Amino acid sequence: MSTNASDLNSPEYFLNRELSFLEFNQRVLEQCKDEALPLLERVRFLGISCSNLDEFFEIRVSSLKQRIELGSLQAAPDTLSLPEQLTAIHKRTSALVQQQYRLLNEVLGPAMEAASIRFVTPASCTPVQAQWLEEHFEREVEPVLTPLGLDPARPFPRIQNKSLNFIVELRGEDAFGRNTTLAVVQAPRSLPRIICIPGSGAEQHVVYLSALMEAFVAKLFSGMQVLGCYQFRVTRNSDLFVDEEEVDDLLRAVEGELAHRRYGEAVRLETALDCPPAITSFLLNHFALAEDDLYPVDGPVNLNRLMAIYDLVDRPDLKYPVFTPGIPRRLQGGADIFAALRHKDLLVHHPFQSFTPVTEFVRQAAADPTVLAIKQTLYRTGADSQIVKALIEAAQNGKDVTVIIELRARFDEEANIELATQLQEAGAHVMYGVV
């Protein structure tokens, strides 16, 4: 049967880009169900699925919403219009989120408890632990909290992207004689979201920061009655718009955009499952969001923070076995990499073989007086990159160092701007890609 070239443009041959990503994230979530995987690795996959979903809303959903605001009528290749795509996204994401929390509450949570890792609340732990938690709240948490009452003189505070917040229902007068019915409490990012309780014996007892704050929030409102405390989280448009053909200085343009990222347009609201409809409607109205932008959750509003448990709990039996990448035989024993390369080219296969030879290659080049120039591209680097240290050393040694840095590596823009500044101060030539 012959196929006409025009047939390939038929919508039936296309998958929707946004819905396809959600199906990919479903496959990530499936890893949480695989009992053949170590338990804490399954917990990490749950956090990864949440992180993926965050970025999806920050970039893809926000882009669709922006196009609607600009009056775009262009449909996707599968013929779905922009509003139809958003409706389909809400339906598919709602099912995905329900699965995430069902896995946490019905599968991973009980499995962790069976493995002697127990999430507790101040109400469910021992009296000694409850006292420690109250003292910890008073000593480490309460001093950095600022409860903000809501009334005409005190408007709704600015809510940072993906930050943990609580809206509190109150009754009575505050210390200044004002009747306040609602207040907002923001949890600073400096506070760990999961707290280990000492003295748990053979078991490891931990508590969510959200559970701790909900238990002791009344301490922030002396003389008033707390009727309810509900966590919420707002996801904002985090895409950076820089017209590379118009700007004179790409670095300054990206810096300017970064300043707005934390407070971009809201695109998603997550609330506690027990949040009353009146408060939910109040929040939706404040953030100019519709019902389809709301995602009630049966647990902590940011499962991404659950990945911290991996490092907090010293249980190698619940993690993948430690893998030590190999070193090519020709480079073992601190060999001269230049001599090895003069003899024969060398292929290093990551991650099965160590990245150390690459780092050592740049380090040796930086120290070798016969090396005159180093040309390097950098997309993402670690916070304490040995490659960057070697490039800075090379520039300080008088070598001609030229580095192309991708300033717009998503969510690493700020780190890359700092990296570019360090290299320039050392005397390296820095470029930001090609317009």
Side-chain angles (χ1 to χ4, degrees):
M1 184 176 113
S2 64
T3 301
N4 200 319
S6 63
D7 292 342
L8 297 180
N9 294 321
S10 176
E12 65 186 281
Y13 295 125
F14 292 91
L15 298 174
N16 184 270
R17 175 184 177 181
E18 320 309 341
L19 299 179
S20 178
F21 173 83
L22 293 175
E23 294 309 319
F24 157 74
N25 208 28
Q26 175 70 54
R27 294 197 294 277
V28 174
L29 196 59
E30 291 298 319
Q31 301 302 306
C32 304
K33 305 176 185 178
D34 188 350
E35 295 184 2
L37 299 181
L39 177 58
L40 290 181
E41 303 295 345
R42 294 162 64 193
V43 172
R44 286 181 74 180
F45 275 116
L46 180 61
I48 291 169
S49 75
C50 176
S51 178
N52 288 345
L53 208 52
D54 285 351
E55 185 171 336
F56 176 70
F57 274 88
E58 289 176 287
I59 305 300
R60 298 303 313 154
V61 173
S62 63
S63 174
L64 295 178
K65 286 176 170 284
Q66 277 188 325
R67 288 167 60 192
I68 289 176
E69 289 176 7
L70 294 172
S72 174
L73 300 177
Q74 183 179 2
D78 63 342
T79 73
L80 282 181
S81 68
L82 295 173
E84 287 172 336
Q85 289 183 72
L86 288 175
T87 299
I89 286 169
H90 176 73
K91 181 178 179 181
R92 186 66 186 89
T93 303
S94 294
L96 194 65
V97 170
Q98 289 176 11
Q99 285 186 62
Q100 287 177 331
Y101 285 87
R102 193 181 309 120
L103 278 167
L104 173 64
N105 296 324
E106 299 177 12
V107 179
L108 298 178
M112 283 192 282
E113 188 156 345
S116 300
I117 303 170
R118 188 178 171 209
F119 281 84
V120 301
T121 66
S124 68
C125 59
T126 68
V128 172
Q129 290 176 332
Q131 181 179 353
W132 183 89
L133 286 173
E134 184 170 6
E135 292 172 353
H136 179 83
F137 177 84
E138 293 173 347
R139 183 179 64 254
E140 304 291 342
V141 180
E142 186 177 4
V144 297
L145 300 179
T146 305
L148 303 167
L150 303 181
D151 58 38
R154 295 172 293 176
F156 205 101
R158 297 182 75 188
I159 302 297
Q160 285 193 26
N161 181 36
K162 299 185 297 184
S163 60
L164 174 62
N165 308 274
F166 300 83
I167 187 162
V168 186
E169 267 191 301
L170 300 166
R171 178 185 295 157
E173 294 183 348
D174 64 15
F176 300 95
R178 297 172 297 195
N179 279 304
T180 301
T181 58
L182 285 177
V184 169
V185 180
Q186 300 171 287
R189 296 187 188 275
S190 58
L191 292 175
R193 275 17 183 194
I194 296 179
I195 301 160
C196 289
I197 304 176
S200 303
E203 289 191 329
Q204 176 72 68
H205 288 186
V206 294
V207 63
Y208 291 117
L209 174 67
S210 55
L212 186 69
M213 290 182 63
E214 287 171 351
F216 298 115
V217 70
K219 292 180 175 291
L220 304 175
F221 301 96
S222 179
M224 303 186 75
Q225 181 182 0
V226 174
L227 304 178
C229 178
Y230 314 100
Q231 54 180 320
F232 71 93
R233 187 172 78 129
V234 176
T235 309
R236 296 184 177 277
N237 182 345
S238 297
D239 205 5
L240 299 183
F241 175 75
V242 177
D243 189 341
E244 294 184 0
E245 295 183 358
E246 295 294 330
V247 299
D248 296 321
D249 188 328
L250 184 59
L251 185 143
R252 290 184 181 274
V254 172
E255 280 183 319
E257 283 290 300
L258 283 173
H260 301 293
R261 170 175 277 172
R262 293 180 181 176
Y263 301 105
E265 291 295 317
V267 294
R268 175 180 62 166
L269 173 66
E270 295 166 279
T271 63
L273 197 61
D274 62 347
C275 188
I279 291 183
T280 299
S281 297
F282 170 75
L283 291 172
L284 286 173
N285 182 65
H286 173 76
F287 294 112
L289 294 172
E291 286 289 337
D292 274 1
D293 301 315
L294 173 66
Y295 295 89
V297 300
D298 188 14
V301 292
N302 187 356
L303 292 180
N304 185 22
R305 295 302 190 107
L306 194 63
M307 287 196 285
I309 197 72
Y310 190 92
D311 294 320
L312 288 173
V313 176
D314 185 19
R315 291 288 300 275
D317 57 311
L318 301 180
K319 304 174 183 179
Y320 286 135
V322 176
F323 175 75
T324 303
I327 299 289
R329 187 175 302 171
R330 290 163 53 200
L331 298 182
Q332 291 177 0
D336 181 338
I337 294 181
F338 284 97
L341 293 178
R342 275 192 292 270
H343 173 69
K344 187 179 180 182
D345 285 350
L346 182 67
L347 176 68
V348 185
H349 192 180
H350 309 302
F352 308 103
Q353 290 180 301
S354 172
F355 193 73
T356 300
V358 178
T359 305
E360 182 63 14
F361 180 44
V362 180
R363 194 195 66 77
Q364 288 186 17
D368 191 331
T370 63
V371 170
L372 303 181
I374 298 176
K375 318 289 185 180
Q376 180 79 47
T377 61
L378 296 174
Y379 186 69
R380 300 182 195 271
T381 68
D384 189 31
S385 169
Q386 296 303 307
I387 292 278
V388 173
K389 287 182 178 179
L391 292 172
I392 289 174
E393 179 187 344
Q396 291 172 339
N397 288 343
K399 303 184 189 305
D400 186 280
V401 177
T402 303
V403 183
I404 296 180
I405 295 178
E406 178 49 75
L407 282 185
R408 300 175 67 182
R410 185 165 292 157
F411 299 113
D412 271 346
E413 299 94 344
E414 194 167 353
N416 281 2
I417 287 173
E418 174 63 25
L419 171 63
T421 302
Q422 290 179 23
L423 287 165
Q424 286 174 327
E425 289 176 349
H429 306 295
V430 178
M431 296 180 287
Y432 311 124
V434 180
V435 175

